Amino acid sequence: GAVVSQHPSRVICKSGTSVKIECRSLDFQATTMFWYRQFPKQSLMLMATSNEGSKATYEQGVEKDKFLINHASLTLSTLTVTSAHPEDSSFYICSAPGTGGFNYGYTFGSGTRLTVV
Amino acid sequence: KQEVTQIPAALSVPEGENLVLNCSFTDSAIYNLQWFRQDHGKGLTSLLLIQSSQREQTSGRLNASLDKSSGRSTLYIAASQPGDSATYLCAALFETSDQLTFGKGTKLSVIP
């Protein structure tokens, strides 16, 4: 089945630095990748949608200059948290429609736990 | 506004019990509904996907049902085990969107 590989699984960084999170579709082409954030005891919140070869679409309230998304190929999408601050500490998960498109379920990465100190 | 609601937020049961998790959605025009499991600090694992034309899906001890007209889905877990302890999320794909709408999840604890 479709697999999305997400790295790193856990990262601790200093305030003011940038962190890059990668999501790769291993055995299928992901023309679309969704990026979610999850705060403790809350559900997933969609941050942005990336489409291969075009600019990402950000949800209201998400700073596009802070959360840079690149989807340069059909198998790789990256999320860079720039100038990270403690309030950016969260669990970030990517997701792509499985083979067959949106109607056939989504595959999720394993998530990245970001802690900004 | 399209929303997905899960009740209860938390559930604790003794090992061996059968249990039902509930999910409701505000718009019956959905393509499908998906149940996920999330272990603490981990990513999501897809459990069952029900297309809008289907009434239920089964996988092992899990059975998910879908009633579009009433805007409800249930996840039935038979003979619960401590390893079933996790947060269970349901997500709907509404026809007017290409993004999943998630419920807030039900945190299940199965007590040995």
Side-chain angles (χ1 to χ4, degrees), chain B residues 46-110:
Chain B
S46 179
L47 297 174
L48 290 164
L49 169 68
I50 312 177
Q51 300 293 347
S52 62
S53 59
Q54 298 173 324
R55 300 281 294 187
E56 65 178 350
Q57 284 286 315
T58 298
S59 176
R61 294 183 293 110
L62 305 180
N63 176 278
S65 69
L66 175 65
D67 184 343
K68 276 183 56 177
S69 61
S70 66
R72 294 180 182 179
S73 176
T74 63
L75 178 66
Y76 174 83
I77 303 177
S80 59
Q81 303 170 357
D84 295 331
S85 298
T87 296
Y88 290 80
L89 293 154
C90 70
L93 179 61
F94 293 104
E95 290 183 5
T96 54
S97 173
D98 57 10
Q99 302 156 356
L100 290 176
T101 301
F102 283 86
K104 292 187 176 181
T106 294
K107 184 176 182 179
L108 173 66
S109 299
V110 180

Side-chain angles (χ1 to χ4, degrees), chain A residues 9-10 34 36 38 41-44 46 49 59 91 93 95 102-111 113, chain B residues 31-32 34 36 38 40-46 49 51 89 93 97-105 107:
Chain A
S9 58
R10 189 178 298 268
F34 298 99
Y36 295 87
Q38 185 178 31
K41 298 185 179 181
Q42 297 189 25
S43 186
L44 297 177
L46 180 67
T49 303
E59 296 300 301
F91 192 56
I93 305 178
S95 170
F102 298 108
N103 290 2
Y104 294 89
Y106 288 71
T107 299
F108 285 79
S110 55
R113 170 77 60 192
Chain B
Y31 284 125
N32 57 52
Q34 198 165 359
F36 297 92
Q38 186 176 29
H40 182 66
K42 304 290 186 181
L44 298 178
T45 300
S46 179
L49 169 68
Q51 300 293 347
L89 293 154
L93 179 61
S97 173
D98 57 10
Q99 302 156 356
L100 290 176
T101 301
F102 283 86
K104 292 187 176 181
K107 184 176 182 179

Side-chain angles (χ1 to χ4, degrees), chain A residues 10-86:
Chain A
R10 189 178 298 268
V11 58
I12 301 173
C13 70
K14 290 185 177 181
S15 186
T17 62
S18 295
V19 174
K20 179 184 284 188
I21 302 170
E22 292 189 350
C23 278
R24 294 180 184 273
S25 54
L26 296 186
D27 49 3
F28 69 105
Q29 293 182 332
T31 56
T32 301
M33 189 75 74
F34 298 99
W35 288 92
Y36 295 87
R37 178 168 54 186
Q38 185 178 31
F39 291 107
K41 298 185 179 181
Q42 297 189 25
S43 186
L44 297 177
M45 295 297 295
L46 180 67
M47 298 175 64
T49 303
S50 72
N51 293 290
E52 186 268 335
S54 64
K55 290 184 178 181
T57 303
Y58 290 81
E59 296 300 301
Q60 192 172 9
V62 178
E63 301 175 60
K64 62 180 181 181
D65 294 331
K66 182 169 186 62
F67 299 99
L68 299 179
I69 291 174
N70 184 284
H71 196 151
S73 78
L74 288 171
T75 59
L76 175 64
S77 178
T78 62
L79 167 67
T80 301
V81 183
T82 63
S83 186
H85 291 286

